[in-house]
């Protein structure tokens, strides 16, 4: 009889998830939304997604790269999130920015997002959002330029790495960093090398951000002052680069310092994307065209 209470709790969790899924299906049908985003890691079983089959496009957000075959009959796309803890809104933001980078959704689209905490194995939150009207979700409407100077795969790889560093730090210490992606010639015009470039002299194939073996090297150099400069093809050009473009935009939100101003400034003069990690809060901020595009807070 000791197992009875646990069994009851499991049934309640599954019933709630099914209710959330069926409610999302009905909302999507009645409001004609573009897509339904589901944080799969909070689902008791991927098979529960079948409730959504035949309706709006379904995009699955998950940290598990191996689930694609299990959900392919229902999901249009599997968006692989970094292996870190995310708030419920963080789950939504990661899914949305990846979908925007892949041109799967656009400003003006209405979406339904289903989220929950993986440790509870329960979808418990439904959000109905319109891309471009939710300032908390997307701070700037100029999202189309996210992948103007880079590929979605490179952008996602850098974002994932930044979120890992923000959540885990380096050797137990918080890390603050800047990654600038794309338009490296222009970026170089508005920057200077502060230290001996640790990536100089290595073959391009050994410096590609898409190579998983490079991740630990990037993390090791993340403690250096200055920025990483990465080409649109994913080649890491340097670390320890001082960005000296002048920031001439509107005032940044309170609490953001020199690192964020430098990131905003460099994207104002170059067709690049900059991703920063706040050493004090762990918030990851994405900049484009001199503006904040999105902020993803650490839990």
């Amino acid at each position: 009889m000791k197992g009875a209470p646990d069994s009851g709790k499991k049934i309640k969790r599954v019933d709630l998830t099914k209710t959330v899924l069926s409610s999302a299906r009905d909302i999507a049908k009645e409001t004609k939304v573009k897509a339904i985003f589901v944080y799969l890691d909070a689902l008791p079983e991927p098979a529960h997604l079948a409730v959504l089959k035949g309706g709006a496009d379904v995009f699955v957000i998950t940290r598990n790269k191996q689930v694609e075959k299990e959900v392919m009959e229902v999901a249009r796309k599997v968006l692989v999130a970094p292996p870190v803890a995310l708030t419920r809104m963080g789950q939504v933001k990661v899914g949305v920015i990846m979908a925007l980078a892949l041109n799967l959704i656009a400003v003006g689209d209405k979406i339904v997002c289903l989220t929950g905490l993986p440790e509870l194995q329960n979808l418990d939150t439904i959000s109905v959002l319109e891309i471009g009207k939710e300032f908390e979700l997307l701070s700037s409407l100029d999202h189309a330029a996210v992948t103007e100077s880079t590929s979605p795969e490179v952008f996602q790889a850098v974002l994932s790495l930044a979120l890992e560093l923000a959540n885990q730090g380096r050797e137990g210490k918080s890390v603050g960093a800047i990654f600038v992606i794309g338009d490296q010639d222009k970026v170089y015009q508005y920057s200077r090398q502060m230290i001996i470039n640790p990536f100089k002299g290595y073959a391009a194939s050994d410096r590609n951000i898409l190579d998983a073996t490079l991740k630990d090297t990037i993390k090791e150099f993340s403690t250096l002052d200055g920025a990483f400069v990465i080409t649109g093809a994913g080649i890491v050009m340097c670390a320890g680069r001082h960005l000296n473009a002048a920031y001439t935009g509107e005032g940044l939100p309170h609490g953001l310092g020199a690192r964020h101003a430098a990131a905003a400034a460099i994207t104002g003069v170059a067709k690049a994307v900059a991703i920063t990690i706040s050493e004090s809060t762990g918030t990851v901020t994405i900049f484009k065209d001199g503006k904040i595009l999105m902020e993803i807070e650490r839990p």
Side-chain angles (χ1 to χ4, degrees), residues 8-294:
K9 289 179 181 178
K10 183 175 182 180
I11 292 173
K12 289 180 181 178
R13 286 200 298 269
V14 172
D15 286 348
L16 176 57
T17 291
K18 288 183 177 179
T19 300
V20 168
L21 286 166
S22 60
S23 298
R25 177 198 59 205
D26 295 341
I27 291 171
K29 183 178 180 179
E30 293 176 11
T31 60
K32 298 180 180 179
V33 302
K34 170 68 174 180
I36 301 174
F37 286 75
V38 183
Y39 190 65
L40 191 70
D41 297 3
L43 265 179
E45 294 290 341
H48 294 316
L49 279 180
V51 175
L52 303 177
K53 189 175 181 179
D57 289 339
V58 176
F59 297 116
V60 166
I61 309 160
T62 179
R63 297 173 294 185
N64 183 1
K65 299 179 180 179
Q66 310 304 319
V67 300
E68 190 164 3
K69 290 183 179 180
E70 298 181 60
V71 301
M72 62 186 303
E73 290 188 7
V74 179
R76 177 182 172 187
K77 184 73 174 179
V78 174
L79 304 168
V80 180
V84 299
L86 294 166
T87 65
R88 288 176 176 83
M89 182 51 72
Q91 296 164 13
V92 172
K93 288 180 176 180
V94 167
V96 166
I97 196 66
M98 289 184 175
L100 285 170
L102 291 165
N103 293 315
L104 297 172
I105 56 174
V107 167
D109 287 343
K110 187 177 291 184
I111 61 174
V112 173
C113 302
L114 309 181
T115 57
L117 298 179
E119 56 268 28
L120 297 180
Q121 285 294 281
N122 207 27
L123 290 174
D124 56 21
T125 305
I126 302 177
S127 303
V128 182
L129 307 168
E130 185 171 332
I131 306 298
K133 286 190 175 181
E134 299 286 342
F135 183 79
E136 183 183 6
L137 179 65
L138 199 66
S139 304
S140 169
L141 297 183
D142 190 18
H143 77 280
V146 171
T147 53
E148 177 185 16
S149 58
T150 185
S151 69
E153 293 77 17
V154 169
F155 173 76
Q156 290 180 29
V158 179
L159 177 61
S160 179
L161 178 58
L163 287 167
E164 285 187 45
L165 276 169
N167 278 262
Q168 301 166 2
R170 188 64 181 163
E171 296 181 350
K173 296 182 180 179
S174 298
V175 169
I178 307 176
F179 300 90
V180 184
I181 316 163
D183 201 6
Q184 68 273 10
D185 290 340
K186 196 75 169 181
V187 172
Y188 267 35
Q189 290 179 30
Y190 288 89
S191 63
R192 60 181 175 82
Q193 196 63 34
M194 299 172 61
I195 60 171
I196 295 174
N197 180 11
F199 292 96
K200 186 176 181 179
Y202 290 90
S205 58
D206 296 329
R207 295 181 280 122
N208 197 306
I209 197 72
L210 298 178
D211 183 352
T213 62
L214 189 64
K215 183 182 293 187
D216 285 338
T217 301
I218 298 288
K219 289 182 177 180
E220 187 67 31
F221 291 133
S222 65
T223 57
L224 298 174
D225 289 334
F228 290 90
V229 177
I230 304 168
T231 71
I235 307 303
V236 182
M237 299 298 293
C238 64
R241 192 90 181 171
H242 175 69
L243 307 176
N244 53 26
Y247 179 65
T248 58
E250 299 177 2
L252 292 172
H254 180 70
L256 300 186
R259 180 177 290 113
H260 298 83
I266 200 66
T267 63
V269 298
K271 292 181 179 180
V273 178
I275 299 176
T276 66
I277 304 169
S278 170
E279 186 173 359
S280 58
T281 67
T283 296
V284 171
T285 307
I286 305 167
F287 291 86
K288 186 71 182 74
D289 294 327
K291 301 175 183 178
I292 294 175
L293 186 65
M294 180 180 284

